[in-house]
Amino acid sequence: MPRRSACLPPLLCTLAACSLPLLLLAAELKSKNCSEVRRLYVAKGFSQGDAPSHEIHGDHLKVCPQGYTCCSQEMEEKYSQQSKHDFRNAVVEFSNHLQTTFSSRYKKFDEFFKELLENAEKSLNDMFLRTYGRLYMQNSELFKDLFIELKRYYVGGNVNLEEMLNEFWARLLERMFRLVNPQYHFTDEYLECVSKYTEQLKPFGDVPRKLKLQVTRAFVAARTFAQGLAVARDVVTKVSVVNPTPQGERALLKMMYCPYCRGLVTVRPCYNYCFNVMRGCLANQGDLDTEWNNFIDSMLMVAERLEGPFNIESVMDPIDVKISDAIMNMQENSVQVSQKVFQGCGQPKTLTQGRASRSVSESGFSARFRPYNPEERPTTAAGTSLDRLVTDVKEKLKQAKKFWSSLPGNICNDEKMAAGRVVEDECWNGSAKSRYVFAVTGNGLANQVNNPEVEVDITKPDMVIRQQIMALRVMTNKMKNAYNGNDVDFLDISDESSGEGSGSGCEFQQCPSEFEFNVTDGTGKTNKIDKNTNTSAAASIGLSQATLFFSILFLAMQRQWR
């Protein structure tokens, strides 16, 4: 017994001596674990002096798990800033594609619509100038003013399309009525009487009514659709700038870089864990989803209108032909129109013989409208067609649905975020390499009340995002109005929105059965004119005067359309 007891110390010494190299090797291995962390830390652009060469005790850590760690206090602070930077970049990267899509499509649509108007005006001007020469030039401002107002409406001007078009036809009638009746003197009051009853006179047939309906619907849809693309672009731009809360910053650091502090540089966050962190940090963006999807649906509805009955290209491209049709209608009915005017507004004064003859010789013409052949027409606006533009943007709109509710999952699936689908027992769960046991929370602010990873104050919504939700809601309502053919700003488009058709334009008993109203004649006296008043002057208009009438009417219509 004494001999064995005496041998115990030497045995312990031998064992200790043999174990010393193993202990030193273990310490060296721990040092190697930190060396990889140190290398990656320096690769981020941080100072090597912040990173320990071997594990140290982590009592100084505020977010990452304490115990032995490869992170100094400076490293944790800088990793916190880096995690916030990485998160912001991830959101911007995923949003940037969507923002670029809406920005580029808005630019294409805007260029197309503007060039379409320019081409339509040029086509009309070239055609009428070629056909009518100086007579057109003398009255071209009517048409120029028309296109100015159409352009002003498209870019957002306060223009009531229906009233503007009514004014155009009234002004055109005044000009042409004076030209086709050069032997008479017409006062401003007399011409005002003529224009007041343009709808009843219908000198241009059914063209003004149909064209007003087509132009109003097409321009409302085109302008609203372009505005919608711009709103979508702006919403994405503003919402993609994310500023995580302090609680969000802690969660991002814990998920993205705390594994490094434990030496687990190749271990990815558990997918559901990442999902919870992202939904907590993007809680307010998640609330966009409902209004965003409603907005996308309304855009798709208006896109269908642009392909069909509200196609602005099919309205504006043949605008010169439609104006010509209106002029031809007046040419064919000039005698009857003049007779009704004289009957309703009174007999105008006759000019002296010399002045009347001079007026006829200066304004008369015999040219007939000759439309462009298909090969003569200007190149399609912006080198494309509306159908192609709409088809393309519809696909992009469909892809954009549910973007905000899908954003957390898209970020977690991104390789750059070091998440993705990983084996649940071999992933970082926020404290160790193990299974993540919590369920995934829903989208939106209200659902974050029980988020296990991010503490979210659901009573304080992000005001910028609330403003964007309201912007989407307003634009969606505008889209719905445009889809129904109603002007966004002027909803009194008239009951013509029920459809097109031929006819007098009067709804049953709304139009008077006779031309009976108060007028002021050339002497300033007010007369009551009824349907029995006979005017022989109108009936005596000869063939030469009818030809002159045709010329003047055509010219006046051209001017207003410009």
Side-chain angles (χ1 to χ4, degrees):
M1 290 292 294
R3 292 179 59 86
R4 297 179 66 180
S5 298
C7 293
L8 187 58
L11 178 61
L12 292 176
C13 291
T14 302
L15 292 175
C18 293
S19 300
L20 182 60
L22 296 177
L23 294 174
L24 293 175
L25 179 61
E28 184 179 357
L29 289 174
K30 288 186 178 180
S31 176
K32 288 181 178 179
N33 285 339
C34 281
S35 66
E36 180 64 13
V37 174
R38 189 179 191 184
R39 183 186 70 80
L40 293 175
Y41 180 76
V42 172
K44 291 286 185 181
F46 301 131
S47 171
Q48 181 174 329
D50 296 338
S53 59
H54 59 276
E55 284 186 337
I56 59 177
H57 199 278
D59 291 344
H60 56 276
L61 299 179
K62 298 178 180 178
V63 177
C64 295
Q66 296 181 343
Y68 284 99
T69 180
C70 288
C71 288
S72 65
Q73 182 177 349
E74 291 79 11
M75 289 177 69
E76 187 183 45
E77 292 173 353
K78 291 180 180 178
Y79 271 145
S80 178
Q81 294 300 316
Q82 185 65 39
S83 63
K84 182 167 62 175
H85 174 76
D86 291 348
F87 170 69
R88 285 174 171 172
N89 283 351
V91 175
V92 169
E93 183 175 341
F94 277 99
S95 302
N96 185 60
H97 175 71
L98 191 63
Q99 190 271 346
T100 301
T101 296
F102 283 112
S103 180
S104 63
R105 268 57 185 186
Y106 167 75
K107 184 178 179 181
K108 285 185 178 181
F109 269 88
D110 187 59
E111 289 177 350
F112 177 84
F113 290 144
K114 289 178 178 177
E115 189 174 338
L116 183 66
L117 287 173
E118 292 292 338
N119 282 353
E121 184 175 11
K122 183 179 184 300
S123 175
L124 185 145
N125 184 70
D126 292 348
M127 185 186 304
F128 284 19
L129 182 61
R130 179 183 60 188
T131 304
Y132 300 108
R134 187 167 63 91
L135 189 59
Y136 166 68
M137 292 299 296
Q138 291 172 346
N139 294 273
S140 61
E141 75 276 3
L142 276 175
F143 300 94
K144 184 176 182 179
D145 290 345
L146 175 64
F147 278 96
I148 287 175
E149 289 300 292
L150 290 174
K151 293 172 186 176
R152 190 163 72 90
Y153 173 84
Y154 172 72
V155 299
N158 188 24
V159 178
N160 186 318
L161 287 176
E162 183 177 4
E163 291 181 0
M164 183 270 292
L165 291 170
N166 287 340
E167 178 67 15
F168 164 71
W169 292 110
R171 290 177 62 199
L172 182 57
L173 179 59
E174 290 181 15
R175 294 289 188 95
M176 298 193 70
F177 193 77
R178 194 191 291 265
L179 289 173
V180 298
N181 293 284
Q183 71 274 34
Y184 295 110
H185 169 71
F186 298 107
T187 64
D188 290 341
E189 292 80 4
Y190 193 98
L191 292 176
E192 183 178 353
C193 172
V194 174
S195 63
K196 186 181 299 183
Y197 294 92
T198 304
E199 286 295 321
Q200 295 180 32
L201 292 171
K202 292 202 172 294
F204 308 116
D206 206 30
V207 173
R209 187 193 69 82
K210 287 185 176 182
L211 196 59
K212 180 171 65 176
L213 178 63
Q214 294 167 351
V215 167
T216 300
R217 286 178 165 179
F219 270 78
V220 167
R223 183 175 82 163
T224 308
F225 193 78
Q227 289 176 344
L229 292 172
V231 166
R233 173 202 63 195
D234 295 342
V235 167
V236 175
T237 300
K238 293 175 182 177
V239 173
S240 61
V241 179
V242 183
N243 294 308
T245 63
Q247 294 79 9
E249 292 180 18
R250 290 174 60 88
L252 290 168
L253 168 62
K254 186 178 178 182
M255 182 186 77
M256 298 171 69
Y257 288 104
C258 283
Y260 284 43
C261 295
R262 299 298 299 270
L264 304 174
V265 296
T266 61
V267 178
R268 296 180 176 185
C270 300
Y271 185 74
N272 287 350
Y273 170 44
C274 178
F275 228 129
N276 277 337
V277 172
M278 289 300 148
R279 283 191 168 172
C281 292
L282 296 170
N284 284 281
Q285 281 77 4
D287 282 344
L288 274 169
D289 213 48
T290 298
E291 286 301 332
W292 176 262
N293 292 336
N294 290 338
F295 166 77
I296 295 296
D297 287 338
S298 67
M299 288 282 288
L300 288 169
M301 290 170 60
V302 176
E304 292 178 0
R305 292 295 206 193
L306 289 174
E307 289 178 313
F310 297 179
N311 189 315
I312 192 173
E313 188 173 22
S314 66
V315 173
M316 294 308 298
D317 191 45
I319 195 71
D320 42 18
V321 177
K322 294 176 181 179
I323 292 176
S324 173
D325 289 342
I327 294 173
M328 298 307 169
N329 285 329
M330 188 166 182
Q331 287 179 336
E332 295 172 358
N333 300 289
S334 59
V335 175
Q336 296 91 326
V337 170
S338 295
Q339 186 176 12
K340 289 182 178 180
V341 169
F342 295 157
Q343 182 179 2
C345 294
Q347 182 68 32
K349 289 185 177 181
T350 304
L351 293 173
T352 61
Q353 185 64 32
R355 292 178 61 190
S357 299
R358 185 166 57 253
S359 297
V360 172
S361 62
E362 290 176 353
S363 59
F365 69 94
S366 58
R368 295 281 293 182
F369 176 82
R370 182 177 70 85
Y372 275 122
N373 293 322
E375 62 272 13
E376 294 179 304
R377 284 201 167 278
T379 304
T380 304
T384 185
S385 70
L386 185 61
D387 288 341
R388 282 197 292 270
L389 287 175
V390 172
T391 298
D392 169 70
V393 81
K394 281 171 63 178
E395 289 303 313
K396 300 299 186 293
L397 287 168
K398 292 175 182 177
Q399 295 170 11
K401 285 198 69 174
K402 299 183 179 180
F403 175 82
W404 303 107
S405 60
S406 302
L407 185 57
N410 289 334
I411 293 177
C412 287
N413 279 321
D414 186 27
E415 289 292 329
K416 296 178 182 178
M417 291 298 295
R421 297 290 182 179
V422 296
V423 178
E424 286 300 310
D425 289 333
E426 299 179 1
C427 56
W428 175 254
N429 66 5
S431 58
K433 180 182 177 182
S434 183
R435 177 179 295 274
Y436 184 72
V437 298
F438 297 103
V440 176
T441 61
N443 266 307
L445 191 61
N447 286 321
Q448 306 313 308
V449 65
N450 294 318
N451 191 314
E453 305 305 333
V454 187
E455 183 180 344
V456 180
D457 187 349
I458 64 173
T459 66
K460 295 181 179 179
D462 186 295
M463 288 298 102
V464 172
I465 291 183
R466 299 298 131 176
Q467 292 170 358
Q468 301 315 304
I469 290 175
M470 183 57 65
L472 289 172
R473 190 171 297 161
V474 169
M475 199 66 230
T476 298
N477 288 333
K478 290 184 176 182
M479 288 289 174
K480 291 178 179 178
N481 281 324
Y483 176 79
N484 293 321
N486 297 326
D487 199 332
V488 175
D489 298 313
F490 301 99
L491 300 181
D492 54 343
I493 297 299
S494 86
D495 53 8
E496 286 182 356
S497 61
S498 61
E500 295 184 18
S502 59
S504 65
C506 297
E507 295 294 332
F508 300 101
Q509 301 301 321
Q510 293 179 4
C511 292
S513 58
E514 58 189 66
F515 232 76
E516 183 175 85
F517 42 86
N518 293 329
V519 298
T520 302
D521 64 10
T523 64
K525 296 180 180 180
T526 301
N527 299 313
K528 181 79 170 183
I529 308 297
D530 61 23
K531 64 179 179 180
N532 295 321
T533 303
N534 295 320
T535 303
S536 59
S540 65
I541 296 177
L543 180 60
S544 62
Q545 292 179 351
T547 303
L548 175 61
F549 174 87
F550 301 156
S551 305
I552 296 171
L553 179 59
F554 179 78
L555 176 59
M557 293 188 69
Q558 290 176 323
R559 292 180 60 188
Q560 183 156 5
W561 271 100
R562 280 190 61 86

